């Protein structure tokens, strides 16, 4: 009887996992259709220098313009792509679209680098740098430095040496690297030590908490100090109030992104926005 029950249990498990697998396949197919039907769009969020009052670049953030559900944030569909073949196809679409956008910005007289988010597993593919070089070769008119990447962690980076090699190759191509969401998830101090990075991004959770949580404040100060020691640039994410910006400026972090500056927006809006942006009074140099 035990054997019988075991077999039944095995059978039930198998049916359930097959259903789950079918759902994953169906979802992957929907995402693939969305890609071929141009339902994905990259929005741009400005990165600014609060002290200089200048726009220093833009981060490209994907949105899914869903025919029924409207505009969807990446958290609702990117996780399902992880580990599937679609991840690389999607990554290629992001790269090409971001490069197109860099060209558009240049044509409007805006020499601003566009940063894209690259998932750690994608970056760890052996030929990542060569693959990116090939795609960039289609845009010979773009000067070096027009594209940057942010390492977005969905899993720990294993075996740092090949990643370091990739980042060195990217640097030679003029592609700088930022470590995203620093201090959360898997990101570790070892990365700062072993990877040729250019920028660290302070995660928004710490920025949000720093005004009333001594622990968050200590982490923000610590990351700014670490960035200085390693000679990395540091950008604060999720700056939602002018007061948070002022605090960061006082602590020595002058680069920021966040809703108090602007949300991510379509490129046409972004171009207009850059033309009118002025740093809030408390941030401006006397
Ligand atoms: P991330 O790279 O850390 O991007 C920052 C996220 O915070 C974005 O959410 C942005 O819209 C949001 N944000 C910016 N300023 C503020 C603020 O002041 N307050 C608050 N509460 N949020 C703010 P979004 O667009 O939903 O993206 C979420 C994550 O999805 C990104 O985090 C990134 O890890 C991933 N992602 C987005 N686009 C892509 C992509 O094209 N490829 C890959 N691989 N990942 C992407
Ligand atoms: Mg990012
Ligand atoms: Mg982030
Ligand atoms: Mg994030």
């Amino acid at each position: 009887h035990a054997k019988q029950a075991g077999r039944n249990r095995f059978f039930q498990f198998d049916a359930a996992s097959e259903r789950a697998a079918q759902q994953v396949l169906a979802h992957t197919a929907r995402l693939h259709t969305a890609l071929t039907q141009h339902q994905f769009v990259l929005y741009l969020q400005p990165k600014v220098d609060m002290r200089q009052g200048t726009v220093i670049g833009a981060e490209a953030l994907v949105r899914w313009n869903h025919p029924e559900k409207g505009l969807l944030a990446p958290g609702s569909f990117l996780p399902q792509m992880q580990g599937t073949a679609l991840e690389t196809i999607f990554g290629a679409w992001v790269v090409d679209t971001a490069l197109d956008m860099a060209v558009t910005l240049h044509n409007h007289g805006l020499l601003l680098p566009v940063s894209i988010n690259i998932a750690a597993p994608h970056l760890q593919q052996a030929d990542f740098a060569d693959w990116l070089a090939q795609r960039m070769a289609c845009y010979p008119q773009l000067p070096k430095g027009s594209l940057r990447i942010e390492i977005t962690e969905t899993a720990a980076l294993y075996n740092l040496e090949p990643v370091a090699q990739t980042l060195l190759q990217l640097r030679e191509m003029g592609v700088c690297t930022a470590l995203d969401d620093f201090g959360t998830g898997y990101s570790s101090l070892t990365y700062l030590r072993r990877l040729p990075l250019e920028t660290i991004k302070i995660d928004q959770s710490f920025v949000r908490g720093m005004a009333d949580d001594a622990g968050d404040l200590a982490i923000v100060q610590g990351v700014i100090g670490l960035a200085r020691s390693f000679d990395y640039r540091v950008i604060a994410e999720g700056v939602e109030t002018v007061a948070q910006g002022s605090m960061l400026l006082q602590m020595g972090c002058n680069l920021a992104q966040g809703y108090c500056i602007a949300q991510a927006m379509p490129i046409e809006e972004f171009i207009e926005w850059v033309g009118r942006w002025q740093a809030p009074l408390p941030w401006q140099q006397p």
Side-chain angles (χ1 to χ4, degrees), residues 59 61 117 150-152 179-182 184 201-204 237-238 257:
E59 177 172 3
L61 294 158
N117 292 281
E150 299 188 0
I151 306 180
T152 296
L179 193 57
D180 212 342
D181 306 333
F182 186 70
T184 65
K201 300 192 77 176
I202 306 177
D203 190 67
Q204 48 184 277
E237 299 191 290
Q257 275 176 264

Side-chain angles (χ1 to χ4, degrees), residues 29-83:
R30 273 195 296 277
L31 288 170
H32 189 252
T33 306
L35 198 55
T36 55
Q37 297 190 346
H38 311 288
Q39 291 171 10
F40 291 119
V41 54
L42 288 183
Y43 274 31
L44 296 178
Q45 184 180 39
K47 298 175 185 247
V48 304
D49 184 320
M50 296 183 279
R51 181 159 287 138
Q52 306 293 334
T54 50
V55 181
I56 59 155
E59 177 172 3
L61 294 158
V62 68
R63 302 287 179 262
W64 181 359
N65 210 338
H66 195 283
E68 285 118 43
K69 297 181 196 160
L71 207 62
L72 301 180
S76 67
F77 58 89
L78 278 190
Q80 281 98 332
M81 263 189 224
Q82 275 160 33

